[in-house]
Amino acid sequence: MLEILQVQNGGVVADLWNAFPTDVPTSWSENHVPFDGMMGIGRCNGQLSLLDTAYLVEEWGLPSPVVLLSGDGHCWIALDYRACGVRAEPSVTWFDVDTDTELPLAADFQTFVERLTAAASFELGDADGSRSAS
């Protein structure tokens, strides 16, 4: 993750890698979750930062310890340190605050990045990134 942040310190994710496939439906889609932006480190144009995680975890009632990578308040993608502790490699988890659900996405960040794909590659009804009516 640090290598990615050295190239670009957060911001919009390219269209080729702005979604993560799922085997189960979520409130977002039947077959993927969005990853259209990633938080960087430090303040930039008033955007949220990885450093805002503690505040956001408390504000949205998320479990801890996690480091939020992306989200809009209702749904988040995070590095999840609950099972491994803060000194080991975290998994990547999707948290849906509205439905009080979570979905493990990948065993580690590298696996998460390697499985990212274009949202447009999914069914037309989900490709526009709109949340389903569920």
Side-chain angles (χ1 to χ4, degrees):
M1 183 171 94
L2 294 177
E3 291 174 16
I4 291 172
L5 291 172
Q6 287 176 341
V7 173
Q8 180 174 331
N9 188 18
V12 176
V13 174
D15 288 344
L16 290 175
W17 302 287
N18 64 356
F20 188 89
T22 62
D23 294 330
V24 297
T26 67
S27 64
W28 180 267
S29 165
E30 292 295 315
N31 54 14
H32 71 282
V33 294
F35 189 68
D36 51 5
M38 184 169 151
M39 291 189 228
I41 298 174
R43 293 274 172 229
C44 182
N45 300 326
Q47 297 294 314
L48 290 175
S49 161
L50 294 169
L51 302 176
D52 293 315
T53 291
Y55 162 76
L56 293 167
V57 162
E58 183 176 336
E59 176 76 17
W60 290 96
L62 296 165
S64 187
V66 298
V67 174
L68 301 176
L69 300 176
S70 181
D72 66 359
H74 302 279
C75 299
W76 299 95
I77 294 177
L79 298 176
D80 189 347
Y81 289 88
R82 292 177 295 169
C84 68
V86 295
R87 299 208 186 278
E89 181 111 23
S91 59
V92 180
T93 303
W94 162 266
F95 295 97
D96 188 320
V97 174
D98 292 341
T99 62
D100 194 29
T101 59
E102 58 185 75
L103 175 64
L105 298 177
D108 54 55
F109 185 73
Q110 181 171 339
T111 303
F112 174 76
V113 169
E114 289 171 351
R115 292 197 55 213
L116 287 171
T117 189
S121 69
F122 295 95
E123 295 178 31
L124 184 59
D126 290 333
D128 65 357
S130 63
R131 292 174 69 108
S132 65
S134 62

